[in-house]
Amino acid sequence: MLTRSFLVALFGGLTVVAAHPLAERDQASLKPSSPVSNVKGLSFNRFVDIWLENVDFTTAAMDPSLSKLAEKGLLLNNYWAITHPSEPNYCASAGGDDFGMDNDEVNKVPANVSTIADLFDTKKIAWGEYMEGMPSTGFQEEKYPETGADNYVRKHNPLVLFNSVVDDKKRLSQIKNFDSFYDDLHNQKLPQYMFITPNMTNDGHDTDITFAGSWTNKFLSDLMENEYFMKDTLVLLTFDESGNYTNVNRVYSFLVGGALPDHLKGKKDDTFYTHYSVIASLSANWGLPSLGRWDCGANLLSFLAEKTGYVNWDVDTSNAYLNETHPGPLSVGEYSEYTPIWPAPLTSDDIKCSAGNGILDIVKETWKDTKPTYNYTAPLPYDSKSGNNVGIKYSRTLANGDVEHGETQ
Ligand SMILES: *[C@@H]1O[C@H](CO)[C@@H](O)[C@H](O)[C@H]1NC(C)=O
Ligand SMILES: *[C@@H]1O[C@H](CO)[C@@H](O)[C@H](O)[C@H]1NC(C)=O
Ligand SMILES: *[C@@H]1O[C@H](CO)[C@@H](O)[C@H](O)[C@H]1NC(C)=O
Ligand SMILES: *[C@@H]1O[C@H](CO)[C@@H](O)[C@H](O)[C@H]1NC(C)=O
Ligand SMILES: *[C@@H]1O[C@H](CO)[C@@H](O)[C@H](O)[C@H]1NC(C)=O
């Protein structure tokens, strides 16, 4: 039987059938690729997403290296991770859901689940990931090195968790080591979207906020002087999750870059954001559709929302923790009584997502015979069945003065 991994490439309608599925031998010989594109966005032409590890908002806010950087940009004062531990947050940033993941295992999301790579493909927007310490392009193992202090870990690599990405050699070749970042910078071949994961030392996982803050400062300071890097660019510095699981999962986050409107520099933004807001904002910026998952109802970056006319929700976070996962196919914990089906996304043409461009065609086609598993049009993830994140109220005032109210229930 032919599986998706056997069909590795399509050239002008000609299907090339490989003799073997991707073997380790192939992985090791995979050359990094650096596609480029220049698709104009409403607010930015390049987005750089950098994640540090496991610190509460209030703890990170006291770090002088980070606060000095934040003063040069816009502090996102109300940005939330979506659960614990690490991996589901990275997963969410690429797939619009955590699929019930409550662990850091070698999780694989089936090929019928779309990601931001599919969104970018609709307009040929080049993307890449730069993973510090990853030993080879497209490396898929759990960690490297196998023993001793962790340098690279798969659980911090968003797109490698998805079969729709790793089954495709071209996509895999865009998941690269950090050295490629400096090559691409030097050759002016950086993509328009990139995700940067520092190693386990530099991101604070195995060190602390002082170490991670100082790494960030060193990494960003030079880049902020680099015209090629900064022009029309938005850099988001954030954390995968908070450090204390029983505290709120609000994480210290700021935007810097040439694309940030001048009047917002040195300011703070109280809009409620989650990791899903990034996907929604990428869609709104470049006119891309939605994955039909939690990106659909997520708030947009405020200055982008102003441009599109979308009105963000005000979320009453007084009861919110966002520190737990709803049950799903990747749950290994307490949720065994639930049927682990792969959650179905929104597919209807009538759905208005925050980005305003409907649902991705391949999502509509693949999932057309299913009913959406969750109310993905809400501004934050919740599950009525398990009671996860329920009882959170939100409201907004539309341009015509109408007030809308909602509640996760
Ligand atoms: C956890 O909470 C304590 C007490 O509020 C705080 O001192 C500590 O920095 C927090 N840890 C992290 C990693 O954020
Ligand atoms: C992480 O990267 C730094 C260089 O940026 C290096 O000095 C350090 O050894 C790396 N950590 C590990 C555990 O390999
Ligand atoms: C989430 O936070 C609440 C409130 O502190 C706490 O009762 C609960 O145990 C936390 N959940 C996890 C998984 O830590
Ligand atoms: C998606 O893939 C999963 C895992 O293979 C399968 O259980 C599910 O039925 C598929 N759903 C659709 C709509 O293709
Ligand atoms: C889903 O969320 C939207 C947006 O918040 C809300 O208007 C709607 O009532 C919710 N639907 C259900 C079934 O809860």
Side-chain angles (χ1 to χ4, degrees):
M1 199 184 82
L2 287 183
T3 65
R4 197 193 147 98
S5 57
F6 282 75
L7 304 169
V8 291
L10 278 164
F11 296 108
L14 173 73
T15 304
V16 178
V17 182
H20 313 283
L22 272 186
E24 261 186 48
R25 184 171 43 82
D26 298 327
Q27 270 187 48
S29 66
L30 203 58
K31 289 238 168 24
S33 71
S34 304
V36 287
S37 58
N38 190 14
V39 181
K40 280 233 165 319
L42 269 180
S43 280
F44 50 87
N45 291 342
R46 179 181 292 135
F47 194 87
V48 181
D49 208 353
I50 309 172
W51 284 27
L52 304 178
E53 275 281 309
N54 304 2
V55 181
D56 292 4
F57 184 101
T58 45
T59 304
M62 291 186 297
D63 179 68
S65 310
L66 290 183
S67 51
K68 244 189 264 147
L69 285 166
E71 279 163 21
K72 297 181 181 163
L74 179 66
L75 178 69
L76 306 182
N77 203 34
N78 195 10
Y79 181 116
W80 293 63
I82 53 112
T83 186
H84 295 297
S86 292
E87 189 174 338
N89 288 289
Y90 289 85
C91 176
S93 76
D97 203 336
D98 58 25
F99 310 99
M101 197 190 296
D102 53 3
N103 60 82
D104 279 330
E105 315 283 303
V106 177
N107 291 293
K108 297 185 177 181
V109 181
N112 59 12
V113 173
S114 296
T115 70
I116 52 173
D118 299 284
L119 301 184
F120 294 140
D121 274 3
T122 64
K123 290 215 171 158
K124 299 197 163 53
I125 293 169
W127 60 267
E129 288 188 342
Y130 300 101
M131 300 281 131
E132 192 171 26
M134 193 172 77
S136 59
T137 304
F139 182 76
Q140 291 174 51
E141 304 308 313
E142 188 175 7
K143 57 185 183 169
Y144 189 85
E146 269 173 54
T147 55
D150 287 334
N151 191 357
Y152 164 84
V153 289
R154 180 184 182 275
K155 66 179 178 177
H156 293 173
N157 181 341
L159 283 161
V160 90
L161 309 176
F162 293 85
N163 289 347
S164 60
V165 172
V166 299
D167 288 351
D168 180 327
K169 270 196 181 176
K170 188 179 165 301
R171 287 178 167 183
L172 206 52
S173 71
Q174 291 161 227
I175 301 180
K176 304 180 280 187
N177 178 279
F178 213 59
D179 293 341
S180 292
F181 173 79
Y182 286 103
D183 293 341
D184 293 348
L185 177 71
H186 178 76
N187 299 327
Q188 305 211 343
K189 292 194 77 176
L190 286 173
Q192 287 193 271
Y193 169 85
M194 71 193 87
F195 194 97
I196 295 183
T197 303
N199 73 16
M200 294 284 275
T201 309
N202 292 330
D203 70 7
H205 187 281
D206 294 347
T207 48
D208 58 18
I209 185 62
T210 309
F211 197 99
S214 139
W215 176 85
T216 307
N217 184 43
K218 253 194 358 240
F219 178 66
L220 277 182
S221 293
D222 283 352
L223 290 170
M224 283 166 75
E225 304 301 315
N226 184 314
E227 165 77 7
Y228 163 70
F229 180 80
M230 284 299 268
K231 192 176 178 326
D232 302 323
T233 293
L234 210 51
V235 180
L236 170 67
L237 187 287
T238 186
F239 287 76
D240 67 332
E241 57 178 332
S242 68
N244 291 289
Y245 283 19
T246 52
N247 284 352
V248 295
N249 208 358
R250 187 165 67 112
V251 285
Y252 193 77
S253 311
F254 59 80
L255 295 169
V256 289
L260 188 68
D262 278 335
H263 72 277
L264 295 177
K265 290 181 183 159
K267 298 278 166 38
K268 75 182 170 55
D269 179 351
D270 289 326
T271 312
F272 174 84
Y273 301 117
T274 66
H275 290 320
Y276 299 124
S277 300
V278 174
I279 307 182
S281 297
L282 294 167
S283 291
N285 182 64
W286 277 303
L288 311 176
S290 165
L291 294 171
R293 298 189 185 272
W294 294 112
D295 61 316
C296 178
N299 279 345
L300 305 178
L301 288 171
S302 54
F303 49 94
L304 187 55
E306 266 170 43
K307 287 195 177 172
T308 66
Y310 180 74
V311 181
N312 280 326
W313 291 101
D314 259 326
V315 176
D316 176 355
T317 55
S318 46
N319 291 322
Y321 283 91
L322 272 63
N323 65 342
E324 292 179 4
T325 307
H326 54 66
L330 297 178
S331 306
V332 297
E334 57 193 284
Y335 297 132
S336 44
E337 77 262 35
Y338 294 94
T339 319
I341 60 147
W342 283 91
L346 302 165
T347 55
S348 162
D349 285 330
D350 303 331
I351 298 288
K352 280 259 174 287
C353 294
S354 50
N357 307 308
I359 310 290
L360 182 69
D361 281 343
I362 182 78
V363 169
K364 288 197 282 196
E365 176 55 27
T366 307
W367 297 86
K368 62 178 184 295
D369 298 326
T370 62
K371 261 186 62 189
T373 307
Y374 303 109
N375 187 3
Y376 286 119
T377 55
L380 75 164
Y382 72 101
D383 175 35
S384 311
K385 216 165 135 194
S386 64
N388 178 239
N389 296 340
V390 299
I392 297 169
K393 295 194 165 84
Y394 43 91
S395 63
R396 60 180 174 184
T397 307
L398 300 178
N400 64 7
D402 287 356
V403 181
E404 292 185 344
H405 293 280
E407 181 176 350
T408 61
Q409 54 188 346

